[in-house]
Amino acid sequence: MNLLLGANTVAAVAGIGFALVGGVRPAALSESGTPTAGERFYGWMYATRGVPLGVAALVAPLAWPGPAGSLILSAAAAAQVGDAAIGVATRKWTMIAGASLLTAIHVATAAATA
């Protein structure tokens, strides 16, 4: 169980980190030279979703073990499924792999703490 909680912590911190990078340096994630106004806008939209959800996924299994924590982790997993789907649509294999791994970790933690 401690290993799973540790993996969930790493997954949540990684999600928070990528969300912050998306907000502050959107070109780093989109691989474009100079970000457009639209990239900056959507980068901040991603950050405003990703940071609070990542913090909730980080805290939930420790603060609210049981159904409430599992619900929060399931929401975080659903967001990662969406990110993986975007990766598939854009053929960004690292995004697919990373989001899929985070999905699996959040789902496993949700099941273990339910």
Side-chain angles (χ1 to χ4, degrees):
M1 181 63 159
N2 287 338
L3 182 63
L4 192 53
L5 288 174
N8 188 72
T9 298
V10 170
V13 170
I16 293 166
F18 276 100
L20 289 172
V21 169
V24 176
R25 301 220 30 205
L29 299 181
S30 68
E31 300 173 1
S32 64
T34 303
T36 65
E39 284 176 303
R40 288 190 298 277
F41 173 76
Y42 282 104
W44 281 114
M45 283 184 56
Y46 174 56
T48 59
R49 171 199 57 98
V51 171
L53 197 51
V55 170
L58 177 69
V59 173
L62 302 173
W64 307 290
S70 292
L71 179 63
I72 291 168
L73 287 169
S74 296
Q80 292 298 334
V81 168
D83 288 347
I86 292 168
V88 169
T90 58
R91 297 181 187 218
K92 293 188 183 288
W93 305 112
T94 54
M95 185 175 183
I96 297 166
S100 296
L101 177 62
L102 271 59
T103 298
I105 291 170
H106 289 326
V107 167
T109 307
T113 61

